Amino acid sequence: MDYSEKIDYLANLIKKSPYTLALTGAGISTESGIPDFRSPGTGLWTKYDPMKVATVSALERDPAAFYKINLDRWTRYNGAEPNAAHYALTRLEREGLLYGVITQNIDGLHRKAGLKQLWEVHGHLRTCHCMDCTQSFPFSCLVDQFNAGINPPRCDKCGGVLRLDVVLFEDALGEDFVQAVQAMTKCRLLIVVGSSLQVYPVAALPERAKQLAVINKEPTPWDDRAEIVINEMAGRVLTDILAALGIM
Ligand code: APR
Ligand code: ZN
């Protein structure tokens, strides 16, 4: 199949599916200027070893070093805006052709694009909490303290170290993941957009879909079980899908 035949094929799968979900990864946000993790040469994990810098033990061992290495990448893209791919998924949801999005991204761009049903299975950058008394605070409290030279940022209730509400390696996944697994039990068509599908347990979710479509620049381990794989830029593909569905 050539590109336009693939677009028509995927548009057809979407039209016929009674329950469609999207599973997105960092690749859906690269067109908003946010680097992904594993793209050759540009991915964040081509510069850092995540098992050394993005784990719970790294935070517990030396919280000041943890924030020195990581905080910049969590704050640098605050001004990023959703791109055509985010808006296209929101449009599909509004037309009743997409039930919701399971995202591994913490950048908040699906929410910014107006998506309603969203499961942020790797957390988000809106809040943080105290590692001792678990009191919750806006994430800005942590960032403001760091920027004022207070590192590690501390709880103003008990003095404990603050940690952001993002899932780190070695963390258990939270309520959003439990609900996403629930949603997958009803899912006919899962559309993966911009994920290398290498990080478990999220990378096991395609197992539960009756039909799988992958929109990703690079091959993924699930491609041979997908109905359709489109190795193109997500913004272009999803815009063309809307057009093929007659949604302008
Ligand atoms: N259009 C389509 N695909 C793209 C685009 C784009 N514009 N840009 C990048 N990609 C693809 C890349 O080819 C890559 O295969 O998106 C994929 C992104 O994969 P990763 O960088 O591994 O990101 P992701 O799958 O979200 O990583 C999962 O790993 O480190 C953890 O917590 C982190 O949530 C993250 C998880
Ligand atoms: Zn506290």
Side-chain angles (χ1 to χ4, degrees):
M1 274 190 270
D2 65 17
Y3 174 76
S4 63
E5 286 164 329
K6 287 187 174 183
I7 292 294
D8 291 341
Y9 187 87
L10 179 48
N12 233 341
L13 288 181
I14 294 170
K15 248 188 288 192
K16 287 203 194 103
S17 168
Y19 194 107
T20 301
L21 291 173
L23 168 59
T24 64
I28 198 170
S29 297
T30 55
E31 292 167 70
S32 296
I34 302 178
D36 66 15
F37 296 96
R38 296 174 182 85
S39 271
T42 54
L44 271 173
W45 297 153
T46 56
K47 300 181 184 77
Y48 291 112
D49 174 0
M51 292 309 146
K52 285 212 185 75
V53 299
T55 61
V56 177
S57 23
L59 170 62
E60 287 170 347
R61 193 175 41 250
D62 185 346
F66 176 87
Y67 283 117
K68 226 154 130 219
I69 294 173
N70 289 297
L71 199 58
D72 172 56
R73 68 186 170 88
W74 288 318
T75 52
R76 178 185 303 190
Y77 305 103
N78 277 350
E81 288 299 323
N83 64 61
H86 296 102
Y87 286 117
L89 291 181
T90 302
R91 202 57 215 278
L92 287 174
E93 181 188 46
R94 205 166 296 148
E95 298 293 327
L97 291 168
L98 179 73
Y99 182 80
V101 174
I102 302 165
T103 190
Q104 302 169 88
N105 300 339
I106 60 174
D107 57 31
L109 293 186
H110 283 299
R111 280 167 72 113
K112 244 181 181 174
L115 193 86
K116 298 270 171 293
Q117 180 54 66
L118 178 65
W119 296 281
E120 295 172 304
V121 296
H122 284 172
H124 53 77
L125 289 170
R126 292 184 293 280
T127 54
C128 61
H129 67 271
C130 173
M131 292 171 78
D132 290 348
C133 71
T134 73
Q135 171 74 33
S136 181
F137 300 93
F139 179 55
S140 54
C141 291
L142 189 157
V143 179
D144 294 349
Q145 283 192 45
F146 181 86
N147 291 338
I150 303 163
N151 186 18
R154 290 195 176 275
C155 167
D156 57 17
K157 246 181 80 187
C158 78
V161 172
L162 295 180
R163 70 150 284 180
L164 67 177
D165 290 330
V166 160
V167 172
L168 300 171
F169 287 103
E170 301 165 2
D171 262 332
L173 270 66
E175 182 53 24
D176 271 37
F177 181 70
V178 173
Q179 289 179 15
V181 171
Q182 273 299 329
M184 281 302 301
T185 56
K186 294 177 247 149
C187 178
R188 161 75 66 81
L189 172 63
L190 180 70
I191 307 172
V192 173
V193 186
S195 179
S196 63
L197 295 174
Q198 289 181 33
V199 177
Y200 284 80
V202 173
L205 288 178
E207 187 82 55
R208 298 164 183 268
K210 295 176 189 54
Q211 293 175 317
L212 177 65
V214 178
I215 300 169
N216 202 60
K217 267 192 338 189
E218 314 258 319
T220 80
W222 283 92
D223 289 358
D224 53 2
R225 273 163 286 182
E227 300 259 336
I228 185 95
V229 175
I230 306 178
N231 296 127
E232 294 289 346
M233 301 288 271
R236 177 189 176 209
V237 172
L238 287 168
T239 305
D240 291 344
I241 289 286
L242 288 186
L245 290 165
I247 305 168
M248 301 328 273

